[in-house]
Amino acid sequence: MSGQSIVEKGRFVGRTAAFVGLTFSMYGMLELDTAISPASEREAVLHAWIRRYGEALLKLYGVKMIARGPHVERGDIYPGRGASGRGRVFVMNHRSGLDIPICLAHIEATILSRADLSGWPVIGVAARRVGTLFVDRTNKQSGAAAINAMTASIERGRGVLVYPEGTTYEGDEVRPFKPGAFLAAQRTDAEIVPVGLAYEGAAASFGSESFADHMVRVSGAPRTRAAIVVGEPIVDVGGDVGELRERARAEVQSLVYAARRALDADGEGSS
C-alpha cells in the first residue's frame, strides 16, 4: 500500500473490515433462512441471498453499474435455467476481482473458479457455500472433473458461468477461449449466453500483480464504473467445438465493445 494516500489506505482498511463482517453476517442469515424454508424452496432462497450478497458488495466497493440486454436491463437477474429446464452456460471476459460480485448481482449461475480460491479465508468460505465449481487449469484431471461438474449442474437445471479465457487480462481484447464450457454445453444441449463486461479506465483491471495487491488498489478507489451487456443465447451448440467457442468469443467481443460504448455514452453511470 506504499503508493496509496492516507485516504485510500483508510478506505481499503474500512472496506476490508466491512467485507468480512458482511460476508459472515449474510452467511448466517442465509443458513437461518434455509433452515426455516421448505426443502422445495431452498434453491430459490440460495439464489436470492447470492444476489443480495453481490449487490451489497457492489455497493460496498462503490461500483456503479450500467446493465444492458435481456432481463438485466430492467433490473431483473438473468435466469440460470432455460425453457427446456436445463441450466444455461454463461461465458464472459474476465478483467477484475470485481467481476464476481457483478456476476452474482446480475446472473443466476454457479461460477467456475480457480482451485486455490476454495482455501482462501473468508472468500473461500463464501465460495464453497454458494456452490462454486473449482478447477485447476494446469491439471488435466481437474479440468475433466470440472467439465463433469458443469454437466451435472446443467442437467439439474442450474446455470454455470465460466470465464473461458482462463485468467484475467487487461483491456477490451477478448483472448481465445478454452474448450471446457463448450464441451459441457454440447453434452447437455444447453444454451450458451454470451456476456461482455467493461470498466471505466484501467484502474479496475487485474494484470501483472498479485490478487492481494489488486484488491488493495481496487478497494482504495472511491468508486468504479462498469457496464455489463448480455447477448442473445446461442441455441445451436452442435458441430465442431472449435467453431462454437470462436463464435462465442466473437459474440463476447462484440458485447465488450457495446459495454464500452455504454460507458462512454453515460458520463455519470447508473446504479
Side-chain angles (χ1 to χ4, degrees), residues 78 82-84 86-90 185 189-193 233-235 237:
Y78 199 111
S84 67
R86 288 184 292 273
R88 294 177 162 120
V89 177
F90 299 86
D189 197 30
E191 297 177 355
I192 297 173
V193 182
I234 299 171
V235 296
V237 298

Side-chain angles (χ1 to χ4, degrees), residues 56-218:
L57 289 178
L58 294 181
K59 184 175 181 179
L60 173 63
Y61 286 96
V63 181
K64 304 298 182 181
M65 290 298 307
I66 299 169
R68 300 285 184 266
H71 303 288
V72 300
E73 188 160 340
R74 61 175 185 258
D76 296 335
I77 199 161
Y78 199 111
R81 181 177 299 175
S84 67
R86 288 184 292 273
R88 294 177 162 120
V89 177
F90 299 86
V91 294
M92 67 180 291
N93 58 318
H94 197 9
R95 294 297 173 266
S96 173
L98 296 173
D99 294 358
I100 292 177
I102 289 174
C103 293
L104 297 180
H106 292 90
I107 298 170
E108 186 182 82
T110 296
I111 297 175
L112 185 72
S113 181
R114 49 191 285 181
D116 62 324
L117 184 141
S118 66
W120 291 8
V122 186
I123 297 176
V125 172
R128 292 194 303 273
R129 179 59 183 89
V130 300
T132 302
L133 304 176
F134 299 103
V135 59
D136 179 355
R137 295 191 184 276
T138 66
N139 185 313
K140 289 184 178 180
Q141 290 184 330
S142 176
I147 294 171
N148 290 336
M150 284 189 284
T151 299
S153 291
I154 294 164
E155 290 175 340
R156 289 197 299 269
R158 296 177 180 174
V160 175
L161 187 143
V162 183
Y163 304 113
E165 290 171 294
T167 189
T168 54
Y169 291 98
E170 298 177 289
D172 288 345
E173 179 188 352
V174 179
R175 275 65 170 188
F177 282 175
K178 297 184 183 301
F182 305 98
L183 292 170
Q186 287 188 328
R187 286 185 186 180
T188 55
D189 197 30
E191 297 177 355
I192 297 173
V193 182
V195 184
L197 181 64
Y199 292 90
E200 182 180 48
S205 296
F206 181 13
S208 56
E209 60 188 340
S210 70
F211 183 77
D213 287 342
H214 168 66
M215 289 310 299
V216 166
R217 182 165 50 78
V218 170

Side-chain angles (χ1 to χ4, degrees), residues 237-261:
V237 298
D240 180 74
V241 71
E243 293 179 359
L244 177 61
R245 59 178 171 162
E246 175 52 30
R247 177 185 174 189
R249 190 208 63 78
E251 293 278 356
V252 171
Q253 181 69 83
S254 177
L255 295 168
V256 171
Y257 290 148
R260 176 62 58 202
R261 290 193 298 272

